[in-house]
Amino acid sequence: MATSTLLGWFLFSASASAACTRDFLVGATNKYVAAQAAGSSSDIAALAAPNVTYTENEIPKAINEGVLTEAIKIDHNRSIHDTVNCATFTEIIAASNPHQYVIGTRILFNNDSKISLIESIVTDAGDWAFNATGYLYWNSQENWDPIPEDKRDSREVIQAAGDAYFDRFKNENVTVPFGVPCSRLEGGASTAPLNMTGDSCTLAGLPSTLVVTNRRYVVDEVLGVVDIYLGFPGLDRTQGQKPMPDSHMFRVESGKIRYIHTVSSCVEAGCGFNSTIPPTSRIRRLRSFERPRLSMRGY
Ligand SMILES: *[C@@H]1O[C@H](CO)[C@@H](O)[C@H](O)[C@H]1NC(C)=O
Ligand SMILES: *[C@@H]1O[C@H](CO)[C@@H](O)[C@H](O)[C@H]1NC(C)=O
Ligand SMILES: *[C@@H]1O[C@H](CO)[C@@H](O)[C@H](O)[C@H]1NC(C)=O
Ligand SMILES: *[C@@H]1O[C@H](CO)[C@@H](O)[C@H](O)[C@H]1NC(C)=O
Ligand SMILES: *[C@@H]1O[C@H](CO)[C@@H](O)[C@H](O)[C@H]1NC(C)=O
Ligand SMILES: *[C@@H]1O[C@H](CO)[C@@H](O)[C@H](O)[C@H]1NC(C)=O
Ligand SMILES: *[C@@H]1O[C@H](CO)[C@@H](O)[C@H](O)[C@H]1NC(C)=O
């Protein structure tokens, strides 16, 4: 091997070991989804750094004590891959599993390509507007295909669209770039029926005093998606204004939001909305400010 080639090889391998490639991240999320389907938590533990942090709904656990030990029949999975933050987010919908779940999982990797953090929001019956059948159905109506290369937004534009959504909660002057059509899917309830061809994302009666805390981002320019983990204050009435674990995934096209998928867990089943609400009216457990639009459906 010529010296110049050898030098080139060293330079390449030095940068390759530090780089976080899309292929690497795609391989990792494939392994994660396969491990969840098989209930093989040890397959994920094997990819993790010795001091990995693993949480479910922000409660620390051992990987081998969590939901990854359960074999789950997965009806749908979608992952996004962020080569800059070396992070991924995966959405899992299990509607035909005996125990229905919708799971959101954010994974971070260190410079040794080991998992340093896994935070899952694991939702099931009793969580925010939970309906895995509805989640699966509404998701199937949407298009999340890769954005053609010449139409891709920058990661800044994609992230700004998601940030605007949350900034609006504390400032009525923020304009959120909702596209047409736009719909929001929460737990399994979609705003789409409010206007199948238009914007059903715009919220009526929104507060302007709510500070959404601790935002954590995964951005994928290829899919035009940002997922934001955050603390949502007041989501669970039994917890006062304590920020609750929440994931919002935004599909952005030409700078405009087309779809929002949320995964939000309650501490108490029903998030403190009384059990006097009949189960058929589960959708009423929506945040009070998100209810006005949905109530137009007559639920
Ligand atoms: C995850 O989704 C991909 C793409 O739709 C699919 O090919 C794969 O089989 C799914 N994995 C599991 C475990 O369901
Ligand atoms: C885990 O270990 C690595 C390498 O020793 C260190 O850099 C990192 O700060 C540790 N992380 C935590 C959360 O303790
Ligand atoms: C990886 O290394 C780069 C360059 O040394 C550093 O800036 C970055 O913070 C490191 N990332 C992690 C996750 O430790
Ligand atoms: C869940 O969603 C499905 C599909 O949209 C719907 O038929 C069903 O009525 C929903 N269940 C509840 C309890 O809202
Ligand atoms: C929003 O705009 C109005 C009119 O310009 C202004 O009075 C108000 O202070 C602004 N609110 C915030 C939170 O910036
Ligand atoms: C639905 O959205 C379309 C397109 O934006 C709009 O023209 C129409 O007025 C909307 N319909 C309702 C009932 O809001
Ligand atoms: C739930 O019911 C209890 C007892 O009737 C009442 O004190 C509480 O305010 C109710 N909470 C909500 C969120 O409606």
Side-chain angles (χ1 to χ4, degrees):
M1 201 185 282
T3 313
S4 61
T5 313
L6 199 59
L7 181 64
W9 185 83
F10 274 122
L11 289 175
F12 171 78
S13 49
S15 65
S17 65
C20 184
T21 65
R22 192 170 183 87
D23 281 352
F24 165 73
L25 293 174
V26 169
T29 51
N30 284 344
K31 285 176 199 157
Y32 163 71
V33 174
Q36 183 63 81
S40 302
S41 59
S42 55
D43 290 354
I44 295 307
L47 304 175
N51 61 355
V52 63
T53 300
Y54 177 80
T55 66
E56 288 182 6
N57 305 334
E58 291 180 0
I59 297 165
K61 284 190 176 181
I63 293 176
N64 291 325
E65 286 168 358
V67 73
L68 277 163
T69 59
E70 257 179 81
I72 294 177
K73 182 175 184 297
I74 294 173
D75 297 306
H76 155 86
N77 72 90
R78 169 181 294 118
S79 293
I80 63 170
H81 305 96
D82 183 333
T83 55
V84 173
N85 291 327
C86 207
T88 63
F89 174 77
T90 300
E91 169 186 79
I92 286 176
I93 306 174
S96 53
N97 195 58
H99 183 142
Q100 295 192 328
Y101 284 107
V102 176
I103 300 173
T105 296
R106 175 174 174 265
I107 302 179
L108 294 187
F109 298 84
N110 66 19
N111 276 335
D112 296 328
S113 302
K114 295 286 187 195
I115 297 172
S116 57
L117 172 72
I118 303 179
E119 43 185 357
S120 281
I121 301 178
V122 181
T123 65
D124 58 4
D127 282 310
W128 190 265
F130 184 82
N131 180 355
T133 311
Y135 221 115
L136 189 63
Y137 172 74
W138 289 111
N139 174 70
S140 75
Q141 305 297 300
E142 302 170 351
N143 176 14
W144 292 69
D145 287 348
I147 309 274
E149 216 160 330
D150 59 338
K151 297 226 163 74
R152 283 178 199 161
D153 290 317
S154 68
R155 49 189 297 116
E156 289 75 18
V157 165
I158 296 166
Q159 183 171 322
D163 269 335
Y165 183 86
F166 291 115
D167 292 344
R168 171 62 187 81
F169 284 104
K170 71 166 172 25
N171 183 347
E172 71 271 22
N173 297 332
V174 171
T175 300
V176 187
F178 291 124
V180 173
C182 180
S183 59
R184 187 174 57 256
L185 178 55
E186 298 197 17
S190 175
T191 60
L194 295 171
N195 190 337
M196 295 299 287
T197 58
D199 161 23
S200 61
C201 291
T202 296
L203 305 168
L206 199 66
S208 302
T209 51
L210 215 57
V211 178
V212 167
T213 59
N214 194 19
R215 299 183 200 180
R216 288 150 284 162
Y217 305 91
V218 181
V219 182
D220 184 327
E221 301 95 319
V222 176
L223 291 179
V225 177
V226 56
D227 190 279
I228 308 183
Y229 268 47
L230 55 116
F232 210 106
L235 180 71
D236 188 323
R237 297 281 169 98
T238 67
Q239 306 297 304
Q241 286 303 300
K242 190 176 162 203
M244 288 295 111
D246 194 331
S247 160
H248 277 57
M249 179 162 68
F250 300 86
R251 160 82 167 196
V252 178
E253 297 175 10
S254 301
K256 307 262 195 226
I257 298 170
R258 296 295 300 274
Y259 309 116
I260 308 172
H261 283 190
T262 79
V263 191
S264 318
S265 71
C266 301
V267 175
E268 300 290 339
C271 278
F273 290 83
N274 275 327
S275 53
T276 50
I277 297 170
T280 48
S281 305
R282 234 183 210 159
I283 196 155
R284 284 186 190 280
R285 288 201 310 250
L286 291 179
R287 276 158 269 200
S288 56
F289 46 81
E290 292 183 356
R291 254 183 296 169
R293 294 298 302 263
L294 281 168
S295 65
M296 288 165 60
R297 280 201 270 178
Y299 289 118

